[in-house]
Amino acid sequence: MGNSQANIIATTPFADQRPGTSGLRKKVEVFKQRHYLENFIQSIFDSLEGYQGATLVVGGDGRYYNREAIQKILKIAAANGVGRVVIGQSGILSTPAASALIRALMAFGGIVLSASHNPGGPHGDFGVKYNVANGGPAPEKVTDAIYARTREITSFRIVEAQDVNIDRLGETRVGDMRVDVVDSVANYKALMQTLFDFDRIRDAFRSGFTFTFDAMSAVTGPYARVLFEEDLGARPGSVINATPLPDFGGHHPDPNLVHARHLYDLAMSDAAPDLCAASDGDGDRNLIIGRGRFVTPSDSLAILAANATIAPGYRKGIAGIARSMPTSAAADRVAERLGVPLYETPTGWKYFGNLLDAGLVTICGEESAGAGSDHVREKDGLWAVLFWLDILAARKESVDAIVRQHWTTYGRNYYSRHDYEEVASDGAHALIDALRQRLPTLKGQYFGGLEVATADDFAYHDPVDGSDSKHQGLRAIFTDGSRIVYRLSGTGTAGATLRVYIERYEPDPARQHLETEAALADLVSLSRELAAIERFTQRAAPSVIT
Ligand code: VG1
Ligand code: CO
């Protein structure tokens, strides 16, 4: 079935439309090629069944090309027989808000336009991700089908119609398809109010709790203004860089210690607020820094899980925790103590969907600054910030005190990620291949004082749908529990990025207050030797350390 006014346009395939860790991400110039976006969107429809007459949610992080892409998607959706598209006003929907809206509307799925933390603008990156009816990123079998279709596509369908005014709230039509432009924030805000004690957080702000949230000129600005300033009563000006800009002001909207350095410096200064926080381009990542204390994402996941019952939404306790394999094992110790299962999945939020749907886990997280729960099927930056605010309001202790107490109870997982960005792709793949070959020989070998307990190429068996995902990262685990993990990024758009994840567990409270760099020094040099990083990448040191 299609649409009476649909034109069928002949096209030829592009060879490079394989979705990565989180959708298809390319330079804007690539997306702007004639038929590039059209091919990919049509390939999504061609890989799905049952969307005719159904509702789709569409929105993005406001980056350059967001508006043009939405107009094209509307016309292609109408031509393919979609019944209704719901768009966030001005094309704005954070990734978690899109997930929440898909669920609230019981929509068929959604198309999220974002390249997340990658830079934007005419020379920056753009991205398209398809989410399924549970609100989460399409699982591998769907993205594989979409990719297969992009290799064979010969035509796409599109209607001729006027552009929709996406700035004006209300209902309109494109061809036979209904289009609703909705408030980007309202549904998400209502969901947050069911999870956290807004009165308690309001009281904290009234009593002088200080807070700075950096929206990084990306999608969360409008959400953060409404939630933190208007509703919860944080001092006006608490939310900075609150206007979404198509080029994010020329910055990487990546809330880490490199790209949000100013926030770290503020948190370490005499003028430090009680809590500094930030989120990324599409609002699914979070950064948490207390006065004088940066919280690693892996620790943050563990601390949220350990304190979950403080928040009304989790008062009854959590069913289980899931973390991506490279994420530190800090959450494992919390799961153990709570007596709930811990699942270790490949990198990327799509692997959490089945566990959440099946009720096996309540809280999930990744070392890359993502945490979330069963309230949506994406990681959720503002959710993590609200969770911290609620815990801080309830415990009336500092971030630093909460972190230290957590380490005393559970031990500390010193943790660092080293990224070798935009290295030559051939060298990066050769490095992984060479190391993979050597894995079977590593067991039992000593490197300095470290003995390799196991070394493998991580594979995941999904306990819910039985699917298998192979080659998800090479890891060497030492007898003292230390780990080094290697994998190639699946979100970059130039060359290859080698990620090296380094971790050491320290149970002794007397040795939990070293600088991370010092605590991991021997493992860091071993990480370079073991994989001969310099030989394969011509890089003696990483470009980003988080
Ligand atoms: C990175 C992170 C991963 C995250 C993904 C999408 O992937 O490591 O944990 O899920 O980005 O996050 P990769 O393949 O580059 O390591 V987001 O906020 O960019 O949607
Ligand atoms: Co993101």
Side-chain angles (χ1 to χ4, degrees), residues 21 116-117 280 284-285 366 368 379 487 489-491 499:
T21 310
S116 191
H117 56 290
D280 70 334
D284 56 0
R285 299 186 178 203
E366 294 190 283
S368 55
K379 53 189 183 275
R487 59 179 283 282
S489 159
T491 58
R499 302 201 196 284

Side-chain angles (χ1 to χ4, degrees), residues 92-130:
I92 292 288
L93 280 178
S94 76
T95 288
S99 184
L101 202 52
I102 293 170
R103 296 170 67 78
L105 297 170
M106 293 194 279
F108 184 83
I111 297 177
V112 182
L113 305 170
S114 172
S116 191
H117 56 290
N118 297 13
H123 305 293
D125 292 348
F126 191 72
V128 179
K129 188 169 66 161
Y130 182 69

Side-chain angles (χ1 to χ4, degrees), residues 12 14 19 27 49 52 61 77 80 86 121 126 150 160 172 212 221 310 336 342 366 405 407 411 421 506 532:
T12 48
F14 291 88
K27 296 276 175 218
E49 265 169 38
Q52 284 91 352
D61 62 9
N80 279 280
V86 177
F126 191 72
T150 65
E160 265 171 55
T172 126
T212 297
I310 287 176
E336 199 182 341
L342 182 289
E366 294 190 283
Q405 200 204 67
W407 291 340
E421 296 175 309
E506 181 52 74

